[in-house]
Amino acid sequence: MIRKRSHQTKSIVEHQIKLIGTFTSGIYAFIVGSVLLAVDYYVDFGLQFNINEVAIYNRLIVVSNILISILIGISLTTFSVIFVVMQLASSQFSPRILRHFLGNDIKTLHFIGLFVGTISLCLLPQLASVFFYKTPFLLTLSIGSFFAFYCLIWSYPNMITYLSINMNVSTITNRIKAEMIEEINVLYRENWSIGKNLLYKRPKIDSDKFQIKIASPFETGYLDSIDYKKLEGMTESILTSDLGLFFENAYQKPIVGEFIMKDTTVLFVLVFSEEITQNHINTVTKEFEAIIKKTFKVKLFRSPTQDVSFGVRKLVDIAIKAISPAVNDPTTCLNCIDHIGEIAKELAIREFPSTDSRTLGAKKIQVNEFNFEEFIDFCFDQIFQWGKADPTVVKRIVRSISVILPLVENPFNLKILIQQVEAMDLLEIYNVSEYKKGKLKIAKEKIITVEKELSWFRQKAKLQIKALELKGVLAHYETNRYSNNGAITNAEMEAIKYLKAYTVFDGFLSENGNELT
């Protein structure tokens, strides 16, 4: 609960306060400035300290204006360079990685706010002197000049260092991974354990039942997030109303992150056991449209909130562009594969679907989410497709999945990870026969290293299968069927069959455990 509250608070700060830089500059310019101007106006420092306040004020104006000029000049130059670098990085890697670089980075916005606020703080006393020409606002101008000097000798170098570090692609990819793991910890709060369902498949809507479809009332955009707690409470309030209507199930149609079209995309489907009157249809539609407006958020861009696949999408984009002939930066691709592997590891040990989804499912509200099989395909398929000719990239994909295997106790997830590598058919791509025919333009030792990597992967996979057998996990699901859905139960049994067959055969197996090669 504490972690969830902490995440909600951070989400508000990061995703709702978009103008923190303007807010910070306003504090310096108006709040601090107003207090200092009031003190200057009512307190005679010249009389108290026996100084010529007017003469000092007039001389300090010259120094202050010079500091302001320098500060404006270097700020404009710096941010012009930053935007050029951001544009180059955006085209080289992915436009999604830097879209909110300045908009969501609190520290960068603080720097901007400090610079703008300091300039305003230096100009305020000079502006006030126009109306109160007999009052030298020495304290305000002195504080403003001090902040300007502080910006030049301390904040500006710190900002340059901070930006140079944070615009590095390694920092960007690491930040994306950290955001996704944090989101996984919020969405999937429980690890998988023996006795739980092996896999999750989206519930299907019975087409023979009476349905009410609620179309999107939002402007066209991407489904950003859903407030499931509020959705649960508001839906219960309808069920306990005096309408006398009880739906069998309610289905969320789009997955978070999908593109939503106004008045076209169906967001919610209500299924009833019998047909209801038109008046009731209108009432229910109106009620649920109000619920959707309060619980669904549709925005112009996708965000990491409740959208783990979006973070992976950015890493995949960076990896693909990095190994393109135009960029030719395989090291960055390997870095992305490592981070994707860590994200996949976190999901491989979690229980599907998400915690909120299971809670709502028990209350007849079916949430639509991706499953582990779709996620793993999404992680590695495109990178392999574009990098399969590079043995370094291929080996890193295999190694990233190999590292995950000893941690996976869910037989279905283990099967998916094994199939992901076996489906690459690496021994057909990298074999000595093709090399001798001149079809492979790589060194022979590279072929051997790929074969060794695959052999090592298969050994680890078989060791993990044996470990699950010793723990009684496979036997448990062979003798106990927890799933009510027949299709899921069959898939569970096929996963057990596949794993047992994999320990015997060295070739590629089909999903039902039959040997293909």
Side-chain angles (χ1 to χ4, degrees):
M1 181 60 71
I2 295 176
R3 178 187 290 178
K4 189 173 182 181
R5 293 296 182 190
S6 174
H7 178 270
Q8 289 175 344
T9 303
K10 184 175 180 181
S11 179
I12 291 173
V13 173
E14 290 185 350
H15 301 297
Q16 300 302 324
I17 304 178
K18 298 297 184 183
L19 301 177
I20 190 71
T22 305
F23 178 74
T24 306
S25 64
I27 290 177
Y28 284 105
F30 296 107
I31 298 178
V32 176
S34 298
V35 172
L36 293 174
L37 287 173
V39 173
D40 263 329
Y41 184 79
Y42 290 106
V43 178
D44 190 343
F45 290 100
L47 183 61
Q48 290 190 5
F49 296 100
N50 194 24
I51 59 175
N52 190 339
E53 194 175 2
V54 175
I56 297 175
Y57 175 75
N58 290 331
R59 292 173 184 173
L60 188 58
I61 284 178
V62 179
V63 177
S64 177
N65 288 339
I66 293 173
L67 290 172
I68 291 173
S69 300
I70 296 173
L71 198 61
I72 291 175
I74 63 175
S75 298
L76 290 176
T77 303
T78 300
F79 283 102
S80 297
V81 173
I82 288 172
F83 280 112
V84 172
V85 173
M86 286 175 59
Q87 183 63 34
L88 292 174
S90 178
S91 60
Q92 183 176 3
F93 298 112
S94 170
R96 281 163 287 279
I97 64 174
L98 295 175
R99 184 192 302 142
H100 301 298
F101 181 78
L102 295 178
N104 281 351
D105 193 299
I106 303 299
K107 195 168 183 178
T108 303
L109 291 173
H110 173 71
F111 283 130
I112 298 173
L114 176 61
F115 293 157
V116 176
T118 298
I119 294 170
S120 301
L121 197 58
C122 290
L123 293 176
L124 273 176
Q126 300 183 50
L127 181 63
S129 297
V130 176
F131 301 98
F132 305 96
Y133 57 89
K134 292 184 179 181
T135 305
F137 295 93
L138 181 60
L139 178 63
T140 309
L141 189 62
S142 300
I143 298 296
S145 300
F146 170 77
F147 272 115
F149 193 68
Y150 170 80
C151 288
L152 290 176
I153 66 171
W154 185 259
S155 291
Y156 179 69
N158 279 348
M159 183 190 71
I160 296 300
T161 303
Y162 178 79
L163 291 176
S164 63
I165 293 174
N166 278 268
M167 293 184 72
N168 183 279
V169 67
S170 297
T171 304
I172 292 172
T173 53
N174 186 68
R175 185 170 63 245
I176 294 171
K177 177 206 65 180
E179 285 180 348
M180 293 306 99
I181 290 179
E182 185 176 359
E183 201 64 35
I184 289 171
N185 290 333
V186 172
L187 296 175
Y188 302 88
R189 296 189 287 274
E190 297 179 14
N191 288 349
W192 184 89
S193 59
I194 187 171
K196 297 180 178 179
N197 289 338
L198 297 185
L199 71 152
Y200 158 75
K201 285 191 176 181
R202 298 187 186 92
K204 295 182 179 180
I205 302 175
D206 190 346
S207 58
D208 296 330
K209 301 282 186 174
F210 183 78
Q211 302 176 9
I212 298 179
K213 298 180 180 180
I214 313 296
S216 171
F218 303 101
E219 292 298 326
T220 299
Y222 292 90
L223 182 57
D224 178 79
S225 61
I226 303 172
D227 189 336
Y228 289 117
K229 186 63 65 176
K230 186 181 290 185
L231 176 65
E232 178 186 350
M234 296 184 74
T235 304
E236 284 180 342
S237 68
I238 290 182
L239 291 176
T240 56
S241 66
D242 297 329
L243 293 176
L245 299 174
F246 299 95
F247 56 80
E248 285 193 354
N249 277 294
Y251 296 86
Q252 170 197 322
K253 287 290 286 181
I255 299 175
V256 173
E258 285 189 9
F259 186 70
I260 305 298
M261 297 179 66
K262 185 177 182 181
D263 300 327
T264 301
T265 304
V266 176
L267 298 183
F268 237 75
V269 177
L270 305 175
V271 177
F272 295 83
S273 57
E274 58 184 20
E275 189 172 348
I276 61 177
T277 65
Q278 187 60 45
N279 288 337
H280 280 151
I281 292 175
N282 295 336
T283 302
V284 172
T285 301
K286 185 177 179 180
E287 292 278 356
F288 265 88
E289 283 180 349
I291 291 175
I292 285 173
K293 288 180 180 179
K294 293 180 180 179
T295 57
F296 283 62
K297 289 184 180 179
V298 176
K299 296 185 179 180
L300 182 61
F301 300 113
R302 292 175 69 178
S303 76
T305 307
Q306 297 182 0
D307 191 2
V308 179
S309 58
F310 178 54
V312 175
R313 175 74 268 164
K314 290 189 284 187
L315 291 173
V316 170
D317 284 349
I318 297 171
I320 292 174
K321 286 197 174 184
I323 56 177
S324 66
V327 178
N328 194 24
D329 182 16
T331 302
T332 295
C333 178
L334 301 182
N335 179 267
C336 292
I337 293 171
D338 292 338
H339 289 312
I340 291 172
E342 189 168 351
I343 296 172
K345 181 262 294 183
E346 290 294 327
L347 276 176
I349 63 176
R350 305 301 173 106
E351 181 183 4
F352 276 76
S354 65
T355 306
D356 288 335
S357 176
R358 295 197 305 275
T359 301
L360 290 172
K363 298 184 178 182
K364 303 191 293 185
I365 303 173
Q366 307 299 328
V367 175
N368 198 1
E369 297 180 350
F370 63 84
N371 56 41
F372 187 73
E373 182 176 6
E374 293 169 335
F375 181 78
I376 293 299
D377 288 342
F378 191 65
C379 286
F380 298 108
D381 276 3
Q382 276 194 300
I383 298 177
F384 175 73
Q385 181 63 34
W386 292 98
K388 60 185 177 183
D390 188 340
T392 304
V393 173
V394 170
K395 287 192 298 180
R396 186 58 66 91
I397 294 175
V398 176
R399 186 170 301 176
S400 293
I401 298 177
S402 299
V403 172
I404 302 173
L405 295 181
L407 304 173
V408 182
E409 296 192 349
N410 184 330
F412 181 80
N413 290 356
L414 183 60
K415 169 204 169 187
I416 294 302
L417 292 170
I418 293 172
Q419 279 188 327
Q420 184 66 32
V421 173
E422 295 294 349
M424 295 177 184
D425 209 6
L426 297 180
L427 294 183
E428 288 295 322
I429 300 174
Y430 295 93
N431 62 74
V432 178
S433 298
E434 294 294 312
Y435 172 78
K436 290 179 179 179
K437 294 176 183 178
K439 294 183 179 181
L440 290 178
K441 304 300 181 182
I442 58 175
K444 185 177 180 180
E445 55 267 24
K446 292 290 185 180
I447 301 175
I448 296 174
T449 58
V450 172
E451 292 176 348
K452 288 182 178 179
E453 195 72 47
L454 181 60
S455 175
W456 182 63
F457 168 83
R458 287 174 170 173
Q459 290 177 12
K460 294 195 72 173
K462 292 177 181 180
L463 284 174
Q464 183 60 13
I465 295 171
K466 291 292 185 182
L468 295 184
E469 286 183 326
L470 291 174
K471 290 180 180 179
V473 176
L474 303 187
H476 175 86
Y477 284 92
E478 284 182 309
T479 57
N480 300 278
R481 299 193 174 191
Y482 284 85
S483 301
N484 295 322
N485 188 319
I488 294 180
T489 301
N490 291 336
E492 289 174 348
M493 294 305 105
E494 287 174 3
I496 303 299
K497 182 180 179 182
Y498 179 92
L499 294 181
K500 287 196 167 185
Y502 192 81
T503 59
V504 178
F505 299 111
D506 290 327
F508 173 57
L509 301 175
S510 65
E511 288 194 10
N512 59 12
N514 296 325
E515 188 179 20
L516 297 182
T517 60

